[in-house]
Amino acid sequence: MVASRGDQFAVMARRNVPAGGLVMRLDGPLVDKPGRYTVQVDVDMHVDAEPDPEHEGRYPLWRFLNHACAPNCRVVGRALRAIAAIKKGDEITFDYDATEYDMASPFRCLCGAPACRGTIRGYRHLKPAMRAAMTWAAPHVLEAAAPRRLAAVARR
């Protein structure tokens, strides 16, 4: 469910979810360029959070997911999965740097985590030590950062 927190929204768990459990699907149209309200789901593919005409033109629930530097979920393809057990009523978050290779709209993070990175710009901008620690990052981000992939992009 979506909850209002002052001037922003948050997605709250409506049920308990075990570690590794499916939290939700990231449904919506696929686009090849990142945007402010897209989530990268493959090397050159993003799912867009445009209003869904099949659901009375409402935005998909996942559009209101917030970033956290210490998230409780991660993106695997078009699935959002729990990293750790989530209790009913907890806010559902994921780390945008672990999903987006290069963000269309970087922002200042105010998540308050002890290891908050401050500015969220995408995996490409992380220091090598942070990348090495982020073993749970989305497979497509790890693939995009692979040396052979970077060399191919540089030749374009």
Side-chain angles (χ1 to χ4, degrees), residues 70-155:
N72 55 13
C73 292
R74 71 187 193 112
V75 173
V76 180
R78 292 182 76 164
L80 187 70
R81 297 206 167 267
I83 292 173
I86 299 171
K87 294 180 184 170
K88 181 179 178 177
D90 286 352
E91 181 178 1
I92 297 170
T93 60
F94 72 102
D95 186 338
Y96 295 6
D97 278 343
T99 302
E100 307 299 312
Y101 184 69
D102 198 10
M103 293 201 54
S105 298
F107 63 93
R108 178 104 178 106
C109 181
L110 302 171
C111 74
C116 180
R117 292 185 295 279
T119 301
I120 306 305
R121 300 183 296 169
Y123 189 85
R124 179 173 83 93
H125 303 279
L126 296 175
K127 293 181 178 177
M130 178 54 69
R131 285 185 180 193
M134 213 178 261
T135 58
W136 48 269
H140 62 267
V141 172
L142 300 174
E143 181 183 339
R148 69 185 188 291
R149 173 76 178 160
L150 294 175
V153 169
R155 287 192 298 270

